[in-house]
Amino acid sequence: MITVEELRGIPIFAPLPAETLEYVAGAVEDIHLVPGEYVAHEGDERALFVVVQGSIEVTKVVNGEERPIGVRKPGRFFGEVPMTLSTPFPASGRAGEASRILKLDVTAFYTLAAMAPSIPARVADLARRYLESLQVIAAEQPEIEVRLVGPRRDAGTHRVATFLMRNQVAFERVTLDRAAEGGAYPILELADSRRLVAPTMREVAVAAGLDVEPSATEYDVVILGGGPAGLTAAVNGAAEGLRTVVIESFAPGGQAGTSTRIENYTGFPFGISGEDLASRALKQAKRLGAEIVVTRTVEAIRTHPGRHEVVLDGGETLRAPVVIAATGVEWRTLPVPAVERHLGNGVYYGAARSDAAVAKGADVCIIGAGNSAGQAAIFFSRHARSVTMLVRGESLEASMSRYLIDQIAANDGISVETRSELVDLHGKGGLEAVDVLDRTSGSTTRRNFTAVFVMIGADAVTGWLPSGIARDPHGFILTGPDAAGTEEWPAERRPFALETSTPGIFAVGDVRSGSVKRVAAGVGEGGMAIAFVHQYLALQRTVEQV
């Protein structure tokens, strides 16, 4: 705890009377930081920090990169802007060396302000100066390394744009009203003057500087899938010193990454999009040292006593004592003729914020009655001319949260048609209309929907897993007590709660049988899995010693 005598050595506190200093000494948090440790992150709730010893490096994420923008030496403040404007931190602060920092929370600051008006006046003056420097940074234009050229309604262009957005690659999109005769799209123009025509997703990833090759062949944990569960496992594994790699076939975020708004995730009172949540988790995992490898698929898992081999497409093999399956689920396809011809060109599975351009000014149809469909309807109602939800059942109540049902009912831009289903698609260059069956009357009508978003449930795709990993009749992976009761479980011990019927292979998130299909549940399981991984590794070491 800091003393009154030490406070007198800090210029702003030096003139204050003894009773005021005694209050400060008892009210502040006396924090000691090691080099690189953060005292506050961009977006944190407001507080005021005073540097006593060492230094605080102020950093801000600018155009996707964390950039140092200032240093606070002994006697200086950090947090003057949020404290003055009652806003979250506009930048982060980390120790540039071993440091000692005092923290005044909101209550302590305003109590001190009443006792010593010179303090808030000084803080406000510094805030004005700092805001001027932030305005200069905010005005900087991002350096665009990738330029994407393609028609507005081109499936390949839409897929590449989605890939770049979800992998946090800054790019400029040039939208063509129509495709050139005989032209191939999309076209990727790079800063080094290279021009890629109709590139594969792997080529896009390489051009954008993303990791498509693991840096090693030996890891402590190999995580299959980069959804909320997989990314959380990566964050926790890397933070606890495990050599961790995530293998993702497309882009981090999983099915949750296509959600336009998640309003029931704790800690975000006004909701957060799936893209934003995945983006934050991805940055966190990378910062802590996890590898994220994209555009790679797993062809096989070979198990051996105490270790496993994960075979990637192309034959590359990764070895690790632990594998975590977090492969999630895949949207069920729309069972109507010609659906493949319109994928990415009028028909879309899932709905992300980046699809706003597709819906702009269009008559949008959403198929589904779950929370994802409800969130999409509300989001697209702000961009589309009209939004129509087609629901096979009698109502939304059986499958949608009450808060979404109420929001939809209060939104004049959304209509809900129950006991209805889409039965056919029409259009040559793109989707122009659909046929909708009214199951009550048996009549079919043609509707001018030009954008259809499909969210009719999802299935586990686990047929490629080895036979030693038991699954339920729907393909979801059995874990814990359910795995123990199968003939595949080979050990005398009971499996850990998230362990599959193959020792050392765990399953988390939506792909796990019996899991709660919610983002928060997946995040929780991702964190729990690493706790069980440590127990499993400790058990293995004991067995080896014996």
Side-chain angles (χ1 to χ4, degrees):
M1 177 177 173
I2 197 163
T3 64
V4 169
E5 289 70 26
E6 289 174 308
L7 286 174
R8 288 197 185 279
I10 300 174
I12 195 166
F13 295 134
L16 302 182
E19 60 269 23
T20 303
L21 291 178
E22 288 176 0
Y23 167 78
V24 174
V28 299
E29 293 181 39
D30 192 351
I31 303 172
H32 293 262
L33 304 173
V34 299
E37 186 177 0
Y38 282 78
V39 68
H41 291 278
E42 190 170 338
D44 282 355
E45 292 301 317
R46 58 190 173 132
L48 184 69
F49 297 94
V50 184
V51 181
V52 180
Q53 297 170 356
S55 63
I56 289 296
E57 185 179 44
V58 182
T59 68
K60 185 168 181 62
V61 175
V62 181
N63 300 331
E65 295 184 0
E66 187 176 27
R67 177 192 302 181
I69 60 174
V71 177
R72 299 291 190 271
K73 295 290 187 179
R76 298 282 301 281
F77 298 126
F78 175 57
E80 57 270 37
V81 171
M83 194 58 75
T84 300
L85 301 181
S86 298
T87 60
F89 273 91
S92 301
R94 64 189 179 199
E97 56 191 296
S99 303
R100 185 184 185 189
I101 313 295
L102 301 182
K103 177 183 178 181
L104 288 86
D105 62 19
V106 174
T107 301
F109 176 77
Y110 284 115
T111 301
L112 177 60
M115 300 170 71
S118 63
I119 298 291
R122 175 62 176 156
V123 169
D125 181 59
L126 291 172
R128 282 191 292 271
R129 299 182 192 179
Y130 185 49
L131 279 172
E132 291 176 1
S133 64
L134 285 178
Q135 287 174 342
V136 174
I137 294 173
E140 291 186 13
Q141 294 295 318
E143 295 183 6
I144 301 299
E145 300 291 330
V146 177
R147 194 164 178 254
L148 177 64
V149 181
R152 184 180 304 278
R153 302 185 66 182
D154 176 72
T157 303
H158 178 268
R159 182 169 171 79
V160 171
T162 301
F163 176 82
L164 293 173
M165 287 179 183
R166 290 181 57 186
N167 279 286
Q168 302 173 37
V169 177
F171 71 101
E172 177 186 357
R173 181 167 181 175
V174 178
T175 302
L176 307 177
D177 291 332
R178 63 180 63 185
E181 187 174 348
Y185 298 98
I187 298 171
L188 218 60
E189 298 177 348
L190 308 177
D192 59 6
S193 299
R194 283 184 297 156
R195 195 168 184 266
L196 306 180
V197 179
T200 66
M201 210 56 64
R202 183 79 51 81
E203 290 172 335
V204 173
V206 172
L210 301 173
D211 291 331
V212 299
E213 299 285 347
S215 65
T217 57
E218 301 281 345
Y219 292 90
D220 294 318
V221 183
V222 176
I223 300 170
L224 311 181
L231 287 177
T232 303
V235 166
N236 284 268
E240 295 175 21
L242 299 175
R243 292 171 299 170
T244 304
V245 63
V246 176
I247 305 299
E248 169 58 50
S249 62
F250 186 67
Q255 194 178 40
T258 66
S259 178
T260 53
R261 201 77 182 162
I262 303 168
E263 296 206 44
N264 56 358
Y265 188 74
T266 306
F268 295 92
F270 304 105
I272 183 171
S273 74
E275 287 180 357
D276 284 346
L277 186 64
S279 172
R280 296 182 185 204
L282 178 59
K283 290 175 183 175
Q284 189 176 14
K286 286 183 174 180
R287 181 176 65 81
L288 292 169
E291 286 185 48
I292 312 294
V293 177
V294 297
T295 72
R296 301 302 296 271
T297 57
V298 178
E299 294 188 342
I301 298 176
R302 296 194 287 257
T303 63
H304 305 277
R307 70 182 178 92
H308 306 285
E309 295 180 347
V310 176
V311 183
L312 303 182
D313 57 293
E316 189 173 1
T317 301
L318 307 181
R319 289 176 289 275
V322 173
V323 174
I324 299 177
T327 49
V329 291
E330 293 185 7
W331 290 112
R332 291 178 189 146
T333 57
L334 189 64
V336 299
V339 66
E340 294 294 330
R341 179 160 55 88
H342 291 288
L343 284 181
N345 188 15
V347 176
Y348 310 89
Y349 291 108
R353 286 193 311 169
S354 54
D355 291 321
V358 173
K360 189 173 181 62
D363 292 308
V364 170
C365 174
I366 294 176
I367 303 177
N371 280 1
S372 294
Q375 290 157 354
I378 293 168
F379 175 75
F380 287 136
S381 69
R382 304 164 191 159
H383 302 274
R385 180 164 55 189
S386 69
V387 175
T388 301
M389 298 185 69
L390 298 185
V391 179
R392 285 177 57 91
E394 302 289 342
S395 68
L396 298 174
E397 275 75 6
S399 54
M400 187 178 293
S401 296
R402 186 74 243 175
Y403 78 92
L404 284 171
I405 295 174
D406 292 341
Q407 289 182 33
I408 290 170
N411 192 320
D412 294 335
I414 304 173
S415 62
V416 179
E417 299 182 11
T418 58
R419 293 188 55 78
S420 299
E421 58 183 293
L422 189 151
V423 293
D424 206 355
L425 303 164
H426 303 279
K428 294 183 179 179
L431 184 64
E432 298 173 0
V434 307
D435 289 345
V436 176
L437 169 66
D438 184 332
R439 297 172 62 204
T440 301
S441 65
S443 62
T444 299
T445 57
R446 184 157 297 185
R447 312 285 287 277
N448 295 324
F449 298 139
T450 56
V452 174
F453 294 89
V454 184
M455 285 159 276
I456 53 175
D459 296 313
V461 181
T462 56
W464 60 274
L465 289 172
S467 59
I469 298 179
R471 282 146 278 178
D472 67 17
H474 300 288
F476 293 91
I477 301 173
L478 298 174
T479 58
D482 294 331
T486 65
E487 60 183 19
E488 288 87 353
W489 177 250
E492 293 183 4
R493 68 174 177 87
R494 301 281 292 177
F496 295 106
L498 298 176
E499 194 172 16
T500 70
S501 57
T502 298
I505 297 182
F506 296 78
V508 296
D510 288 355
V511 76
R512 190 179 69 83
S513 178
S515 68
V516 178
K517 305 301 189 277
R518 289 288 186 270
V519 173
V523 168
E525 290 187 10
M528 288 170 55
I530 297 301
F532 292 129
V533 166
H534 283 298
Q535 294 180 41
Y536 172 80
L537 293 175
L539 182 63
Q540 289 299 108
R541 288 191 290 268
T542 301
V543 171
E544 291 171 0
Q545 291 170 1
V546 173

